[in-house]
Amino acid sequence: MSCFFAFFAVIIIDGGAVSKSISMAFEPSPTIFGNETVAGSKLIYETVPSNVSIHVEPKDTGTLYLSALIFNDTVDIFRDLNDELFPFQVVNWYQLIKLEPRYKESSAFENFTNSDLVVGQLQDFDNFDNLLEQARLYNNIPLNETFILDVPNRDVSFILLKIDFTDGESAIYYGLYDGNQQPKDKSEVNLRLNPKSSLKMPESESATEIKNDDLLFNITKTFVCNDLYKLGYEKCQ
């Protein structure tokens, strides 16, 4: 994947341009939401993880890349939509997962308030609402600890992590996984959820719930539809 770090930003104050040094995980790629270009928020980029490692037991490790930041109803898109993302592998329907935020300069991670996952298969639909009906939203995802993810799909799918921070900003991390679940049914969950186990399995609901959050909905649609197009499907409407 081609990615590099840029160390500048321009903030407009009273009509003047003031330079401020920041670190960006990817080259900003402003995206059109409807007829409006959304970019250029005044975020402190050093306070959020540069990416999130996703450990998939028993052996595979993938990455969810910092792809967007939200603050004061403003969105900065970081993901270069021309980049190819290579999926990591999952092997169980009830997959042991650990999400480990990675900082460039610090390992402290005490300033977050909540984290949610949106997971869905990359397949063509007549409109994006149809895709969301097949996807899942997982609330209150634990970070830095192993939990059980009820994987909804077997094939190539997207996984989007939204982390909310105490200063009011949110970071969006995005990646792909390829399902290779061996059992044909989901009976192995009984092996995970035994009385002696401390593992948690976050509850999920239909991902159509993200339509209540316009910014999250538009970000998800932008990334997913772009990947669908790369897979040879018509860009969803």
Side-chain angles (χ1 to χ4, degrees):
M1 175 182 299
S2 62
C3 91
F4 61 92
F5 292 90
F7 295 92
F8 66 93
V10 177
I11 301 175
I12 305 300
I13 302 178
D14 295 330
V18 179
S19 296
K20 178 182 179 182
S21 177
I22 60 175
S23 59
M24 296 182 178
F26 298 99
E27 179 184 14
S29 178
T31 303
I32 303 298
F33 293 160
N35 294 320
E36 182 180 358
T37 300
V38 189
S41 64
K42 304 175 184 179
L43 300 174
I44 303 175
Y45 297 93
E46 292 89 345
T47 65
V48 302
S50 57
N51 57 52
V52 174
S53 294
I54 179 164
H55 302 281
V56 182
E57 295 188 16
K59 60 179 181 179
D60 203 17
T61 300
T63 301
L64 302 181
Y65 297 95
L66 177 60
S67 298
L69 290 164
I70 305 172
F71 188 66
N72 286 340
D73 294 326
T74 303
V75 174
D76 274 351
I77 297 292
F78 283 86
R79 181 185 171 194
D80 185 342
L81 298 181
N82 293 316
D83 277 350
E84 294 291 339
L85 294 183
F86 298 97
F88 56 88
Q89 299 289 316
V90 300
V91 296
N92 296 302
W93 286 108
Y94 292 94
Q95 182 67 60
L96 296 183
I97 295 284
K98 181 179 179 181
L99 299 172
E100 187 175 6
R102 297 291 189 182
Y103 284 86
K104 287 185 58 186
E105 300 178 356
S106 171
S107 61
F109 192 61
E110 301 176 352
N111 62 333
F112 74 98
T113 60
N114 185 62
S115 55
D116 300 320
L117 279 178
V118 184
V119 180
Q121 187 172 334
L122 291 178
Q123 56 182 326
D124 206 13
F125 290 95
D126 291 336
N127 59 66
F128 195 66
D129 287 352
N130 297 141
L131 186 147
L132 287 180
E133 289 172 1
Q134 306 298 320
R136 304 302 298 171
L137 170 64
Y138 304 82
N139 300 115
N140 301 315
I141 293 294
L143 301 174
N144 288 318
E145 65 181 79
T146 300
F147 65 95
I148 303 172
L149 181 67
D150 182 2
V151 180
N153 305 302
R154 182 185 291 273
D155 298 316
V156 178
S157 302
F158 71 91
I159 181 166
L160 182 147
L161 172 66
K162 178 176 180 282
I163 301 178
D164 300 322
F165 295 91
T166 55
D167 56 6
E169 68 189 35
S170 298
I172 303 295
Y173 299 85
Y174 184 87
L176 303 178
Y177 76 81
D178 190 4
N180 186 30
Q181 298 93 319
Q182 300 302 318
K184 293 183 179 180
D185 58 46
K186 297 187 175 184
S187 60
E188 83 271 12
V189 71
N190 295 324
L191 301 176
R192 311 287 192 196
L193 295 177
N194 62 71
K196 296 181 180 180
S197 175
S198 61
L199 295 172
K200 299 178 181 179
M201 186 168 68
E203 296 183 358
S204 68
E205 57 187 330
S206 171
T208 54
E209 290 298 314
I210 70 171
K211 294 181 67 177
N212 297 322
D213 184 335
D214 289 340
L215 295 180
L216 179 60
F217 174 81
N218 285 328
I219 291 170
T220 305
K221 183 177 180 180
T222 297
F223 295 154
V224 171
C225 289
N226 180 70
D227 284 336
L228 281 171
Y229 184 75
K230 291 178 181 177
L231 290 174
Y233 298 113
E234 293 295 326
K235 189 171 292 189
C236 45
Q237 301 298 319

